[in-house]
Amino acid sequence: MICVEKIPHLLYNHSGKKGVNVMAELYLRRKIDRFLQLWKEDDNRKPLIVKGPRQVGKTESLLRFAKANYQSVIYINFVEEPKYKMILEDGYSAEDIIKNISRIDPSKRFETGNTVLFFDEIQVFSQIATSLKFFKIDGRFDVICSGSLLGINYRQIESNSVGYKTDYTMSSLDFEEFLWAKGYGEDTIQDMLRHMENFQPFNQLEMNIYSGLFLDYCILGGMPAVVRQYIEKGTFEGSLEIQRQLLEDYKEDIRKYADGVDQTRIINVFDQIPNQLAKDNKKFQISKVAHGARFKDYRGCIEWLRDAGIVQICYCLHSPELPLKGNYDDSKFKLYFFDTGLFVAMLDEEAQDDLRANKNLNVYKGALYENMVAEAFVKSGYSLFYYKKDDSTLEEDFFVRTADQLLPVEVKATRGTAKTLRTLISSGSYPDIQCGIKLTGGNVGYSDNIMTFPYFCAFLLRDFLKRGKYSLQDQE
């Protein structure tokens, strides 16, 4: 059964922007749906702030939840209705804010215990966050806040509402949500996890199906406007146009929200990521961004893109050992897009044609799969780290950790040997590393303390390690 439903709340046009309510839309099931229900069931719930990049489905999911769970939904969008910025004129108390909202629109109804105030696009009016403390103390109404690019001014929001809010970060669909959209249920996800735990290879039919779905997901990415059209049409028709419009929208946000000269620098960094990921040495080099570019001039630009949720930073470890906090060089890093579909949409025309027609990426193959793994890890809650030993060929793509182990992760574009993995595991110099993980286009396997999984299993890796039901000794 396809895990979508009709909703009347919002219409997204091909640019992914919210439009008028003229027809029902397919709703794609999201992980935030479950989180929102648990939040609502908590008698001591705090005002909720949902962060994340623009057009990843925040407003759509939140409005659907609100209309299904409250008699009265007070929806205020500070971009579309700037007049509501006046609601703080008399102070931050819940009573004063409600009075001013009702003065602007007397038709809005405030029913104690059954009303939610949904403040959207708060990145343009972060002062509203100061009121969250007072709404929590008042206790009559629930409050949800959301907005794009919240990371840019989140320090101010944090200081204004510390201790009186719950945070949730939303991104584009991960591969599990994509599988839901294609009609696969929890039984499929659990079966995939069992294959990993038992080191049981998938049969050929399963490999063909899951690998095909994963390649489709790589091309499409997880932006709801793109996935929705793919589900509705059953083809890739129009997907590239939507992706390119989304990229232009992100650049427009940079021009709108970034300060002065940084606008050009931020866009330069943004445009350079695909080229630099395609190189053998994927470390991001500021000197390649523009003539005469210096790290000190661009550092803030990279942090801006990170805080906006547009890129993920993968830092180079000083040494592959625990703890990870503080054990990295913040001047050496790789940059990945938060959504691989948008990364693919930035490639040149020849690479686009080769991927879509021949399922081949040539020089971008390694970059594509690394970006997919980075995206899966971040959406699972991991931070990103890699390792490159100075004056040596020893280099590892990623690292994940358990309570007491550090596991190197190698992403292989081909089915070659994992030389660095073997070195890190067998060397006595790295006591925190006892085994490693290889992600490839091949099947599940185990050999020499290296666990091998297909790319499409990357989204399950955290659950696999957390459940701890695997036993390497059993594989000897």
Side-chain angles (χ1 to χ4, degrees):
M1 177 179 178
I2 301 297
C3 298
V4 295
E5 58 188 79
K6 293 286 186 178
I7 61 168
H9 308 319
L10 294 171
L11 174 67
Y12 282 72
N13 60 29
H14 282 189
S15 72
K17 294 181 178 179
K18 296 189 288 289
V20 294
N21 179 14
V22 297
M23 62 175 288
E25 280 281 286
L26 287 175
Y27 180 76
L28 304 173
R29 176 188 170 194
R30 305 299 301 275
K31 291 182 177 179
I32 194 175
D33 299 339
R34 174 63 175 159
F35 172 85
L36 291 170
Q37 288 299 330
L38 293 174
W39 174 77
K40 182 71 166 64
E41 292 167 8
D42 183 357
D43 293 336
N44 193 36
R45 60 187 171 276
K46 301 174 182 178
L48 174 64
I49 295 181
V50 177
K51 301 182 289 182
R54 76 189 310 254
Q55 300 178 18
V56 296
K58 298 185 297 297
T59 300
E60 184 179 25
S61 292
L62 292 171
L63 267 179
R64 174 180 176 274
F65 163 78
K67 292 189 176 186
N69 287 276
Y70 297 88
Q71 284 292 113
S72 180
V73 179
I74 310 299
Y75 176 70
I76 294 175
N77 184 310
F78 289 114
V79 169
E80 296 178 356
E81 300 178 288
K83 62 187 177 183
Y84 281 101
K85 293 181 181 180
M86 302 297 293
I87 62 177
L88 298 181
E89 287 296 300
D90 296 321
Y92 294 100
S93 73
E95 184 175 351
D96 286 335
I97 291 172
I98 290 165
K99 178 183 67 178
N100 285 330
I101 291 173
S102 62
R103 178 180 292 132
I104 295 172
D105 184 355
S107 69
K108 295 189 184 301
R109 295 290 178 260
F110 295 86
E111 181 180 335
T112 298
N114 210 356
T115 297
V116 61
L117 288 87
F118 180 4
F119 297 122
D120 202 3
E121 304 288 9
I122 69 167
Q123 76 276 2
V124 300
F125 190 56
S126 58
Q127 299 96 309
I128 193 65
T130 303
S131 70
L132 300 185
K133 172 181 178 180
F134 301 97
F135 273 106
K136 171 59 180 171
I137 294 172
D138 181 273
R140 288 178 292 163
F141 314 108
D142 288 343
V143 179
I144 297 174
C145 298
S146 181
S148 304
L149 306 171
L150 275 183
I152 304 307
N153 56 6
Y154 196 66
R155 291 178 183 85
Q156 180 182 352
I157 293 175
E158 180 74 28
S159 64
N160 288 348
S161 55
V162 62
Y164 292 94
K165 64 177 176 57
T166 296
D167 291 313
Y168 185 93
T169 299
M170 189 173 180
S171 191
S172 57
L173 281 79
D174 66 11
F175 188 51
E176 183 173 5
E177 291 170 316
F178 181 79
L179 289 175
W180 292 345
K182 288 291 291 180
Y184 295 89
E186 299 298 331
D187 55 338
T188 298
I189 308 303
Q190 290 305 310
D191 184 66
M192 294 171 73
L193 191 54
R194 279 191 293 272
H195 276 275
M196 297 173 68
E197 290 173 342
N198 299 324
F199 296 102
Q200 176 188 354
F202 295 95
N203 65 41
Q204 194 56 54
L205 177 61
E206 291 170 328
M207 283 296 295
N208 291 342
I209 291 174
Y210 296 147
S211 296
L213 287 166
F214 187 72
L215 182 61
D216 288 351
Y217 175 64
C218 289
I219 295 171
L220 292 163
M223 298 300 282
V226 179
V227 176
R228 181 178 290 113
Q229 177 151 306
Y230 167 75
I231 296 297
E232 290 177 331
K233 293 182 177 294
T235 70
F236 290 84
E237 178 187 346
S239 60
L240 182 58
E241 288 77 8
I242 297 176
Q243 289 168 325
R244 286 178 171 168
Q245 182 58 56
L246 288 168
L247 289 168
E248 288 304 312
D249 291 342
Y250 275 105
K251 290 183 180 180
E252 182 59 33
D253 278 343
I254 293 171
R255 298 184 186 98
K256 183 176 180 180
Y257 292 105
D259 296 328
V261 68
D262 282 347
Q263 295 177 13
T264 301
R265 290 173 178 168
I266 292 170
I267 291 175
N268 286 343
V269 171
F270 184 83
D271 288 338
Q272 268 288 312
I273 296 174
N275 293 334
Q276 298 217 22
L277 278 179
K279 300 181 184 303
D280 290 336
N281 175 16
K282 294 180 175 60
K283 172 189 170 186
F284 195 84
Q285 296 174 286
I286 295 295
S287 60
K288 304 293 184 183
V289 172
H291 180 70
R294 297 175 299 177
F295 177 76
K296 67 176 185 178
D297 296 327
Y298 276 80
R299 181 168 186 163
C301 301
I302 292 163
E303 291 173 345
W304 194 100
L305 288 168
R306 178 201 62 197
D307 292 344
I310 297 172
V311 303
Q312 308 294 345
I313 304 178
C314 181
Y315 289 109
C316 183
L317 294 173
H318 289 305
S319 177
E321 60 185 1
L322 297 173
L324 296 176
K325 187 175 182 180
N327 178 29
Y328 62 88
D329 185 342
D330 63 4
S331 68
K332 297 179 182 178
F333 52 85
K334 296 184 286 187
L335 294 182
Y336 298 101
F337 279 101
F338 83 96
D339 185 89
T340 303
L342 297 184
F343 164 59
V344 170
M346 291 186 71
L347 303 181
D348 54 63
E349 295 292 342
E350 292 77 15
Q352 287 281 345
D353 293 342
D354 207 15
L355 173 60
R356 294 172 184 274
N358 305 316
K359 299 183 178 180
N360 182 43
L361 262 180
N362 290 326
V363 297
Y364 291 104
K365 184 180 294 184
L368 170 69
Y369 289 118
E370 273 198 38
N371 204 101
M372 277 306 316
V373 171
E375 180 184 346
F377 283 1
V378 170
K379 289 178 176 178
S380 298
Y382 284 121
S383 298
L384 299 180
F385 300 99
Y386 77 104
Y387 179 64
K388 174 68 170 72
K389 188 173 183 179
D390 293 336
D391 303 321
S392 171
T393 58
L394 191 68
E395 182 173 5
E396 194 55 85
D397 299 320
F398 299 105
F399 290 84
V400 295
R401 65 163 301 173
T402 63
D404 56 359
Q405 288 189 53
L406 183 64
L407 290 87
V409 180
E410 191 152 324
V411 181
K412 301 294 291 186
T414 62
R415 300 187 184 183
T417 59
K419 183 178 179 181
T420 297
L421 264 183
R422 298 181 191 279
T423 300
L424 290 172
I425 295 168
S426 61
S427 171
S429 303
Y430 312 109
D432 294 325
I433 298 175
Q434 301 170 24
C435 59
I437 296 167
K438 182 170 68 171
L439 297 171
T440 77
N443 214 322
V444 176
Y446 174 84
S447 177
D448 299 326
N449 289 326
I450 295 176
M451 298 171 278
T452 301
F453 302 115
Y455 301 122
F456 59 75
C457 289
F459 78 99
L460 286 170
L461 196 56
R462 191 179 183 95
D463 287 340
F464 166 76
L465 295 173
K466 187 183 299 184
R467 287 168 64 157
K469 294 183 179 181
Y470 61 94
S471 173
L472 298 183
Q473 287 75 20
D474 293 343
Q475 307 302 316
E476 298 295 349

